[in-house]
């Protein structure tokens, strides 16, 4: 009422009154609202901060459990670039995998303490009957090795969680003895192993191979060598130069043609050379088909051309060809004894870093599943594990 009266009297006053009189109650209301907003805002703030922390934690947990994408914006730390994929199964085909595997640092020193690992790569049909022996070999050496298994595609591995072979299977394809698909499988093993930056040495094995020394000796022998152990020699005659095809020129000449055992040990530099190759691969694929066994010629010839100064030109894997024929001798239960290993292991001499030594081989093949039991009872005395 008062306001209206004053309004009628003096417009100017009315304006000032209209401003001042209700101001008291309004300012209380506004203050009240501001307070409510403030309290509400504070609440929302605290709640969202907790949510972020909770979700962040959840994300981290999720990331830990499925680290297929190694790095995204939130985890862009050196740690995350260094870490190997925790799950060896991936959806890359060979073209994509090989491309990814050949990423290599150009700066040679690592900006962190890198412990070089040996990658043990098992090329198998399916099961690993000698796995209990290998479990014994690896035990206690965690952090110094990694394992990769390439078996025929249909094979379902069934290792317990405590096994060193658990979850170590890589995506595989059909592999035929003596054909290019065998080299493809070996390159696939190398490429998968290259994804782990700490792998420095790469050993190819089969389900019929055993280690004839303990891990300590194997690791030292391989890591202290100036050369990689890949058999490579120039053999005259039908099984050596006789398998050469002149159409491989000019990439490969007859003088460059080499032969060597399939079972190699190479360092990271050589592994990269093998995976990145696009020059020699097509030549071998086209012009080295049975009776040219490509797995005996492709890597030895190519690496002798590219990096002869890095090769020891001998294999670390003992194989017995004395019985003749296209396949080496296979040892079963009745063959295994201490004398047998004294005979096959201790007889030779060879060069190791330019010094003559007696220890020339660290692995041996071929052993049938029936050999497992006697091998297990001999291993500590004869192999030192
Ligand atoms: C892999 O996939 C890419 C893209 O689809 C394709 O270009 C390439 O030929 C494939 N490689 C193989 C070996 O299948
Ligand atoms: C896998 O292993 C488990 C336990 O060792 C065994 O019970 C099961 O029969 C095995 N499955 C196959 C297909 O071998
Ligand atoms: C291996 O053979 C190549 C040539 O075939 C040679 O250059 C190299 O020095 C040899 N390696 C050793 C350790 O003798
Ligand atoms: C490995 O074998 C060597 C020789 O056989 C032995 O001296 C050494 O103690 C063994 N190492 C381990 C860790 O068993």
């Amino acid at each position: 009422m008062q306001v209206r009266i004053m309004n009628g009297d003096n417009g100017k006053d009315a304006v000032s009154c209209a401003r001042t009189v209700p101001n008291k109650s309004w300012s209380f209301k506004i203050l009240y609202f501001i307070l409510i907003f403030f309290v509400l805002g504070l609440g929302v703030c605290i709640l969202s901060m907790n949510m972020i922390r909770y979700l962040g934690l959840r994300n981290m947990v999720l990331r830990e459990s499925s680290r297929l994408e190694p790095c995204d914006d939130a985890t862009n730390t050196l740690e995350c670039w260094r870490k190997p994929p925790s799950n060896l199964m991936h959806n890359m085909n060979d073209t994509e995998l090989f491309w990814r595997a050949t990423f290599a640092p150009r700066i040679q020193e690592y900006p962190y303490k890198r412990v070089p690992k040996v990658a043990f790569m098992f090329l198998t049909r399916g099961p690993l009957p000698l796995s209990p022996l290998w479990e014994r070999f690896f035990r206690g050496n965690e952090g110094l090795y990694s394992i990769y298994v390439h078996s025929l595609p249909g094979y379902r591995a069934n290792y317990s969680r405590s096994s060193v072979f658990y979850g170590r299977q890589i995506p595989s394809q059909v592999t035929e003895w003596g054909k290019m698909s065998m080299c493809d499988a070996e390159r696939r093993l190398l490429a998968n192993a290259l994804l782990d930056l700490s792998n420095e040495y790469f050993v190819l094995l089969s389900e019929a191979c055993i280690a004839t020394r303990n891990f300590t000796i194997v690791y030292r022998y391989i890591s202290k060598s100036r050369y990689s152990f890949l058999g490579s020699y120039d053999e005259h005659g039908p099984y050596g130069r006789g398998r050469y095809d002149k159409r491989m020129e000019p990439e490969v000449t007859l003088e460059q043609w080499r032969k060597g055992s399939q079972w190699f040990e190479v360092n990271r530099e050589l592994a990269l050379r093998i995976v990145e190759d696009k020059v020699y691969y097509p030549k071998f694929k086209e012009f080295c088909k049975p009776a040219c066994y490509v797995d005996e010629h492709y890597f030895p010839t190519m690496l002798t051309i590219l990096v002869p100064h890095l090769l020891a030109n001998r294999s670390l894997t003992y194989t017995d060809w004395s019985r003749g024929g296209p396949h080496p001798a296979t040892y079963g239960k009745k063959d295994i004894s201490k004398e047998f290993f004294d005979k096959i292991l201790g007889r030779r001499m060879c060069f190791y870093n330019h010094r003559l030594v007696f220890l020339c081989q660290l692995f041996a093949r071929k052993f049938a599943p029936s050999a497992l039991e006697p091998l297990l009872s001999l291993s500590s005395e004869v192999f030192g594990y």
Side-chain angles (χ1 to χ4, degrees):
M1 277 311 266
Q2 209 185 3
V3 175
R4 231 179 263 158
I5 291 161
M6 283 171 80
N7 250 355
D9 283 342
N10 190 316
K12 212 183 170 197
D13 259 354
V15 172
S16 70
C17 273
R19 267 186 192 161
T20 50
V21 174
N23 219 3
K24 271 192 184 147
S25 68
W26 272 110
S27 66
F28 273 122
K29 271 186 190 156
I30 284 166
L31 210 76
Y32 181 69
F33 275 118
I34 285 174
L35 212 79
I36 282 181
F37 271 119
F38 181 72
V39 168
L40 239 122
L42 204 75
V44 167
C45 238
I46 289 169
L47 201 78
S48 63
M49 264 159 71
N50 275 322
M51 283 290 275
I52 284 167
R53 202 178 297 163
Y54 168 72
L55 286 175
L57 219 72
R58 241 174 67 92
N59 274 346
M60 252 164 66
V61 169
L62 283 176
R63 220 175 287 129
E64 283 296 312
S65 57
S66 65
R67 215 189 292 109
L68 265 179
E69 267 79 44
C71 289
D72 56 40
D73 288 346
T75 56
N76 223 341
T77 61
L78 178 64
E79 182 75 8
C80 102
W81 285 104
R82 280 167 42 183
K83 276 212 175 110
S86 60
N87 187 343
L88 294 191
M89 282 298 166
H90 54 72
N91 295 320
M92 290 183 276
N93 68 21
D94 280 355
T95 313
E96 296 160 341
L97 169 70
F98 288 15
W99 178 77
R100 175 68 186 86
T102 51
F103 287 17
R106 291 173 67 97
I107 294 180
Q108 295 304 310
E109 307 85 45
Y110 291 83
Y112 57 91
K113 187 169 170 4
R114 175 179 182 257
V115 179
K117 288 196 291 191
V118 182
F120 291 84
M121 311 182 299
F122 290 85
L123 184 57
T124 76
R125 272 173 290 253
L128 285 164
L130 304 178
S131 62
L133 191 67
W134 282 107
E135 301 270 359
R136 195 180 280 187
F137 171 78
F138 288 116
R139 194 184 300 147
N141 297 288
E142 291 71 26
L144 295 176
Y145 66 85
S146 36
I147 292 174
Y148 301 85
V149 184
H150 185 290
S151 25
L152 290 181
Y155 179 71
R156 288 274 147 271
N158 189 20
Y159 295 101
S160 70
R161 267 182 176 279
S162 59
S163 165
V164 296
F165 296 102
Y166 179 79
R168 303 310 298 179
Q169 285 66 39
I170 63 161
S172 64
Q173 285 178 36
V174 172
T175 306
E176 288 173 285
W177 183 77
K179 300 216 178 136
M180 203 51 160
S181 58
M182 179 73 91
C183 295
D184 292 338
E186 294 172 18
R187 298 175 92 205
R188 200 173 296 125
L189 274 163
L190 284 169
N192 279 283
L194 279 167
L195 296 180
D196 183 345
L197 289 176
S198 54
N199 286 330
E200 183 60 32
Y201 310 101
F202 303 79
V203 181
L204 183 69
L205 300 158
S206 80
E207 68 262 56
C209 290
I210 62 165
T212 53
R213 302 286 158 177
N214 62 26
F215 189 91
T216 315
I217 292 183
V218 168
Y219 186 88
R220 196 185 308 145
Y221 197 93
I222 288 175
S223 62
K224 297 252 185 273
S225 172
R226 274 179 242 165
Y227 305 101
S228 283
F229 295 96
L230 180 96
S232 175
Y233 50 91
D234 181 7
E235 182 181 306
H236 293 252
Y239 306 118
R241 288 194 176 202
R243 293 175 179 172
Y244 173 75
D245 187 322
K246 210 172 157 46
R247 286 173 290 178
M248 287 190 172
E249 283 178 349
E251 283 80 4
V252 182
T253 66
L254 180 65
E255 290 67 41
Q256 291 172 326
W257 184 253
R258 289 293 184 277
K259 182 177 178 176
S261 160
Q262 171 189 10
W263 310 104
F264 61 73
E265 180 277 321
V266 294
N267 68 9
R268 201 170 173 91
E269 159 73 20
L270 269 59
L272 283 165
R273 298 278 188 161
I274 291 173
V275 173
E276 77 184 0
D277 175 45
K278 290 210 176 272
V279 173
Y280 302 96
Y281 183 89
K283 290 280 168 173
F284 279 88
K285 191 178 169 90
E286 190 170 357
F287 300 120
C288 182
K289 293 176 180 166
C292 176
Y293 299 108
V294 69
D295 55 85
E296 292 180 343
H297 299 282
Y298 173 31
F299 300 156
T301 302
M302 174 180 75
L303 293 174
T304 299
I305 295 171
L306 295 174
V307 284
H309 59 289
L310 299 181
L311 303 179
N313 301 317
R314 63 182 177 90
S315 171
L316 287 178
T317 305
Y318 173 88
T319 310
D320 180 4
W321 290 99
S322 66
R323 294 185 197 174
H327 295 283
T330 301
Y331 305 116
K333 189 179 187 127
K334 61 181 185 337
D335 297 301
I336 310 302
S337 65
K338 189 175 182 309
E339 293 69 39
F340 166 79
F341 284 106
D342 287 345
K343 199 178 91 195
I344 71 165
L345 296 179
R347 285 267 172 96
R348 285 185 51 208
M349 283 186 92
C350 57
F351 281 100
Y352 177 80
N353 290 341
H354 305 292
R355 278 183 26 239
L356 265 178
V357 295
F358 279 103
L359 184 54
C360 299
Q361 274 144 348
L362 307 175
F363 309 103
R365 67 197 310 274
K366 300 168 69 169
F367 292 89
S370 69
L372 176 65
E373 207 188 290
L375 283 171
L376 281 173
S377 48
L378 275 180
S379 74
S380 110
E381 185 193 353
V382 178
F383 309 144
Y385 68 87

